[in-house]
Amino acid sequence: AFDAVGSIIVIAMFICPPAAARLMTNRLERQILWSIAFGAGSAVAGYVLAGYGPLWLGSSNAVSAAGMIATVSGLVLALACLYAPARSRMTAPGS
């Protein structure tokens, strides 16, 4: 189980923050800053939710921090896909 969760978090953190950043802006410098912010925010929020989320919901069951970080990172990408300002300006090559 550890190897599976380890690979999931690596894939999620390599793909989701940069993809969400790409949807936020078309400038490379800002994409890098957005990607750093999304990655750090996902890591902190996922770790906090893994540690305290079950307690807030009245449960004492442990939640995988790596799995929660990957989930939060995926949610950030999903929100960027829905609401990012740069997504409507992108056009297909050759259009």
mmCIF file of all heavy atoms in Angstrom, residues 46-74:
data_model
loop_
_atom_site.group_PDB
_atom_site.id
_atom_site.type_symbol
_atom_site.label_atom_id
_atom_site.label_comp_id
_atom_site.label_asym_id
_atom_site.label_seq_id
_atom_site.Cartn_x
_atom_site.Cartn_y
_atom_site.Cartn_z
ATOM 1 N N GLY A 46 -3.562 19.392 2.595
ATOM 2 C CA GLY A 46 -3.741 17.943 2.662
ATOM 3 C C GLY A 46 -3.229 17.354 3.958
ATOM 4 O O GLY A 46 -3.864 16.480 4.547
ATOM 5 N N TYR A 47 -2.098 17.857 4.423
ATOM 6 C CA TYR A 47 -1.538 17.355 5.686
ATOM 7 C C TYR A 47 -2.440 17.727 6.854
ATOM 8 O O TYR A 47 -2.691 16.904 7.735
ATOM 9 C CB TYR A 47 -0.132 17.918 5.877
ATOM 10 C CG TYR A 47 0.626 17.260 6.995
ATOM 11 C CD1 TYR A 47 1.172 15.991 6.828
ATOM 12 C CD2 TYR A 47 0.784 17.878 8.220
ATOM 13 C CE1 TYR A 47 1.849 15.368 7.846
ATOM 14 C CE2 TYR A 47 1.463 17.271 9.243
ATOM 15 C CZ TYR A 47 2.000 16.017 9.062
ATOM 16 O OH TYR A 47 2.666 15.408 10.086
ATOM 17 N N VAL A 48 -2.937 18.960 6.865
ATOM 18 C CA VAL A 48 -3.829 19.390 7.946
ATOM 19 C C VAL A 48 -5.139 18.601 7.900
ATOM 20 O O VAL A 48 -5.633 18.144 8.941
ATOM 21 C CB VAL A 48 -4.088 20.910 7.857
ATOM 22 C CG1 VAL A 48 -5.222 21.334 8.773
ATOM 23 C CG2 VAL A 48 -2.825 21.678 8.193
ATOM 24 N N LEU A 49 -5.708 18.432 6.715
ATOM 25 C CA LEU A 49 -6.951 17.666 6.603
ATOM 26 C C LEU A 49 -6.762 16.205 6.993
ATOM 27 O O LEU A 49 -7.667 15.599 7.566
ATOM 28 C CB LEU A 49 -7.504 17.766 5.188
ATOM 29 C CG LEU A 49 -8.159 19.096 4.827
ATOM 30 C CD1 LEU A 49 -8.522 19.118 3.346
ATOM 31 C CD2 LEU A 49 -9.383 19.334 5.679
ATOM 32 N N ALA A 50 -5.611 15.645 6.670
ATOM 33 C CA ALA A 50 -5.355 14.248 7.059
ATOM 34 C C ALA A 50 -5.236 14.120 8.567
ATOM 35 O O ALA A 50 -5.690 13.136 9.157
ATOM 36 C CB ALA A 50 -4.090 13.731 6.386
ATOM 37 N N GLY A 51 -4.622 15.104 9.193
ATOM 38 C CA GLY A 51 -4.424 15.035 10.635
ATOM 39 C C GLY A 51 -5.646 15.397 11.446
ATOM 40 O O GLY A 51 -5.953 14.752 12.449
ATOM 41 N N TYR A 52 -6.351 16.446 11.022
ATOM 42 C CA TYR A 52 -7.460 16.954 11.822
ATOM 43 C C TYR A 52 -8.833 16.699 11.222
ATOM 44 O O TYR A 52 -9.829 16.804 11.929
ATOM 45 C CB TYR A 52 -7.286 18.457 12.049
ATOM 46 C CG TYR A 52 -6.076 18.785 12.872
ATOM 47 C CD1 TYR A 52 -4.950 19.359 12.294
ATOM 48 C CD2 TYR A 52 -6.039 18.503 14.230
ATOM 49 C CE1 TYR A 52 -3.831 19.651 13.038
ATOM 50 C CE2 TYR A 52 -4.924 18.790 14.990
ATOM 51 C CZ TYR A 52 -3.820 19.367 14.394
ATOM 52 O OH TYR A 52 -2.717 19.645 15.137
ATOM 53 N N GLY A 53 -8.915 16.399 9.948
ATOM 54 C CA GLY A 53 -10.204 16.163 9.306
ATOM 55 C C GLY A 53 -11.057 15.104 9.981
ATOM 56 O O GLY A 53 -12.240 15.353 10.260
ATOM 57 N N PRO A 54 -10.503 13.927 10.269
ATOM 58 C CA PRO A 54 -11.321 12.919 10.952
ATOM 59 C C PRO A 54 -11.790 13.382 12.331
ATOM 60 O O PRO A 54 -12.917 13.072 12.737
ATOM 61 C CB PRO A 54 -10.374 11.719 11.075
ATOM 62 C CG PRO A 54 -9.410 11.900 9.971
ATOM 63 C CD PRO A 54 -9.225 13.382 9.839
ATOM 64 N N LEU A 55 -10.962 14.136 13.027
ATOM 65 C CA LEU A 55 -11.371 14.641 14.345
ATOM 66 C C LEU A 55 -12.507 15.654 14.214
ATOM 67 O O LEU A 55 -13.417 15.684 15.039
ATOM 68 C CB LEU A 55 -10.179 15.280 15.055
ATOM 69 C CG LEU A 55 -9.017 14.348 15.391
ATOM 70 C CD1 LEU A 55 -7.854 15.123 15.980
ATOM 71 C CD2 LEU A 55 -9.477 13.260 16.352
ATOM 72 N N TRP A 56 -12.447 16.492 13.173
ATOM 73 C CA TRP A 56 -13.507 17.471 12.953
ATOM 74 C C TRP A 56 -14.827 16.797 12.622
ATOM 75 O O TRP A 56 -15.890 17.344 12.898
ATOM 76 C CB TRP A 56 -13.129 18.431 11.839
ATOM 77 C CG TRP A 56 -11.955 19.302 12.153
ATOM 78 C CD1 TRP A 56 -11.509 19.660 13.387
ATOM 79 C CD2 TRP A 56 -11.075 19.928 11.222
ATOM 80 N NE1 TRP A 56 -10.394 20.464 13.268
ATOM 81 C CE2 TRP A 56 -10.106 20.646 11.961
ATOM 82 C CE3 TRP A 56 -10.998 19.930 9.844
ATOM 83 C CZ2 TRP A 56 -9.102 21.363 11.355
ATOM 84 C CZ3 TRP A 56 -9.989 20.657 9.250
ATOM 85 C CH2 TRP A 56 -9.051 21.376 9.997
ATOM 86 N N LEU A 57 -14.744 15.621 12.017
ATOM 87 C CA LEU A 57 -15.949 14.881 11.652
ATOM 88 C C LEU A 57 -16.384 13.894 12.728
ATOM 89 O O LEU A 57 -17.317 13.127 12.530
ATOM 90 C CB LEU A 57 -15.745 14.150 10.329
ATOM 91 C CG LEU A 57 -15.485 15.056 9.120
ATOM 92 C CD1 LEU A 57 -15.146 14.226 7.900
ATOM 93 C CD2 LEU A 57 -16.677 15.953 8.860
ATOM 94 N N GLY A 58 -15.682 13.880 13.857
ATOM 95 C CA GLY A 58 -16.054 13.023 14.976
ATOM 96 C C GLY A 58 -15.555 11.600 14.875
ATOM 97 O O GLY A 58 -16.071 10.712 15.539
ATOM 98 N N SER A 59 -14.554 11.356 14.061
ATOM 99 C CA SER A 59 -14.009 10.013 13.897
ATOM 100 C C SER A 59 -12.581 9.978 14.415
ATOM 101 O O SER A 59 -11.892 10.987 14.459
ATOM 102 C CB SER A 59 -14.024 9.622 12.422
ATOM 103 O OG SER A 59 -13.422 8.370 12.236
ATOM 104 N N SER A 60 -12.136 8.801 14.816
ATOM 105 C CA SER A 60 -10.751 8.665 15.257
ATOM 106 C C SER A 60 -9.931 7.839 14.268
ATOM 107 O O SER A 60 -8.792 7.503 14.548
ATOM 108 C CB SER A 60 -10.699 8.005 16.642
ATOM 109 O OG SER A 60 -11.258 6.711 16.574
ATOM 110 N N ASN A 61 -10.511 7.526 13.104
ATOM 111 C CA ASN A 61 -9.800 6.752 12.099
ATOM 112 C C ASN A 61 -8.714 7.595 11.449
ATOM 113 O O ASN A 61 -8.913 8.775 11.148
ATOM 114 C CB ASN A 61 -10.762 6.249 11.017
ATOM 115 C CG ASN A 61 -11.768 5.282 11.583
ATOM 116 O OD1 ASN A 61 -11.533 4.649 12.596
ATOM 117 N ND2 ASN A 61 -12.910 5.187 10.926
ATOM 118 N N ALA A 62 -7.576 6.989 11.213
ATOM 119 C CA ALA A 62 -6.465 7.692 10.578
ATOM 120 C C ALA A 62 -6.684 7.779 9.068
ATOM 121 O O ALA A 62 -7.280 6.896 8.458
ATOM 122 C CB ALA A 62 -5.156 6.966 10.866
ATOM 123 N N VAL A 63 -6.206 8.861 8.494
ATOM 124 C CA VAL A 63 -6.290 9.073 7.053
ATOM 125 C C VAL A 63 -4.871 9.245 6.536
ATOM 126 O O VAL A 63 -4.045 9.891 7.171
ATOM 127 C CB VAL A 63 -7.140 10.326 6.728
ATOM 128 C CG1 VAL A 63 -7.164 10.603 5.248
ATOM 129 C CG2 VAL A 63 -8.540 10.169 7.269
ATOM 130 N N SER A 64 -4.582 8.681 5.388
ATOM 131 C CA SER A 64 -3.260 8.791 4.787
ATOM 132 C C SER A 64 -2.978 10.235 4.381
ATOM 133 O O SER A 64 -3.749 10.841 3.635
ATOM 134 C CB SER A 64 -3.176 7.889 3.561
ATOM 135 O OG SER A 64 -2.039 8.193 2.800
ATOM 136 N N ALA A 65 -1.870 10.774 4.874
ATOM 137 C CA ALA A 65 -1.496 12.144 4.524
ATOM 138 C C ALA A 65 -1.183 12.250 3.033
ATOM 139 O O ALA A 65 -1.587 13.206 2.371
ATOM 140 C CB ALA A 65 -0.311 12.603 5.359
ATOM 141 N N ALA A 66 -0.484 11.268 2.494
ATOM 142 C CA ALA A 66 -0.130 11.299 1.075
ATOM 143 C C ALA A 66 -1.375 11.236 0.203
ATOM 144 O O ALA A 66 -1.487 11.964 -0.788
ATOM 145 C CB ALA A 66 0.808 10.147 0.741
ATOM 146 N N GLY A 67 -2.311 10.410 0.561
ATOM 147 C CA GLY A 67 -3.550 10.313 -0.193
ATOM 148 C C GLY A 67 -4.359 11.597 -0.125
ATOM 149 O O GLY A 67 -4.941 12.036 -1.124
ATOM 150 N N MET A 68 -4.392 12.229 1.037
ATOM 151 C CA MET A 68 -5.142 13.473 1.185
ATOM 152 C C MET A 68 -4.467 14.615 0.423
ATOM 153 O O MET A 68 -5.144 15.453 -0.179
ATOM 154 C CB MET A 68 -5.294 13.839 2.656
ATOM 155 C CG MET A 68 -6.189 15.027 2.888
ATOM 156 S SD MET A 68 -7.869 14.827 2.260
ATOM 157 C CE MET A 68 -8.562 13.714 3.449
ATOM 158 N N ILE A 69 -3.139 14.649 0.421
ATOM 159 C CA ILE A 69 -2.423 15.669 -0.339
ATOM 160 C C ILE A 69 -2.716 15.507 -1.828
ATOM 161 O O ILE A 69 -2.958 16.480 -2.538
ATOM 162 C CB ILE A 69 -0.909 15.610 -0.047
ATOM 163 C CG1 ILE A 69 -0.636 16.050 1.381
ATOM 164 C CG2 ILE A 69 -0.129 16.472 -1.029
ATOM 165 C CD1 ILE A 69 0.781 15.773 1.864
ATOM 166 N N ALA A 70 -2.704 14.277 -2.312
ATOM 167 C CA ALA A 70 -3.014 14.023 -3.720
ATOM 168 C C ALA A 70 -4.455 14.406 -4.036
ATOM 169 O O ALA A 70 -4.737 14.964 -5.105
ATOM 170 C CB ALA A 70 -2.768 12.556 -4.056
ATOM 171 N N THR A 71 -5.370 14.153 -3.118
ATOM 172 C CA THR A 71 -6.769 14.514 -3.315
ATOM 173 C C THR A 71 -6.945 16.023 -3.389
ATOM 174 O O THR A 71 -7.642 16.543 -4.272
ATOM 175 C CB THR A 71 -7.636 13.935 -2.185
ATOM 176 O OG1 THR A 71 -7.491 12.511 -2.175
ATOM 177 C CG2 THR A 71 -9.093 14.302 -2.349
ATOM 178 N N VAL A 72 -6.319 16.750 -2.469
ATOM 179 C CA VAL A 72 -6.413 18.208 -2.475
ATOM 180 C C VAL A 72 -5.795 18.775 -3.748
ATOM 181 O O VAL A 72 -6.336 19.700 -4.358
ATOM 182 C CB VAL A 72 -5.761 18.805 -1.213
ATOM 183 C CG1 VAL A 72 -5.650 20.320 -1.305
ATOM 184 C CG2 VAL A 72 -6.544 18.418 0.030
ATOM 185 N N SER A 73 -4.682 18.206 -4.180
ATOM 186 C CA SER A 73 -4.041 18.653 -5.405
ATOM 187 C C SER A 73 -4.962 18.439 -6.605
ATOM 188 O O SER A 73 -5.071 19.293 -7.490
ATOM 189 C CB SER A 73 -2.721 17.907 -5.601
ATOM 190 O OG SER A 73 -2.038 18.357 -6.718
ATOM 191 N N GLY A 74 -5.643 17.323 -6.641
ATOM 192 C CA GLY A 74 -6.611 17.056 -7.707
ATOM 193 C C GLY A 74 -7.800 18.000 -7.656
ATOM 194 O O GLY A 74 -8.304 18.439 -8.695
#
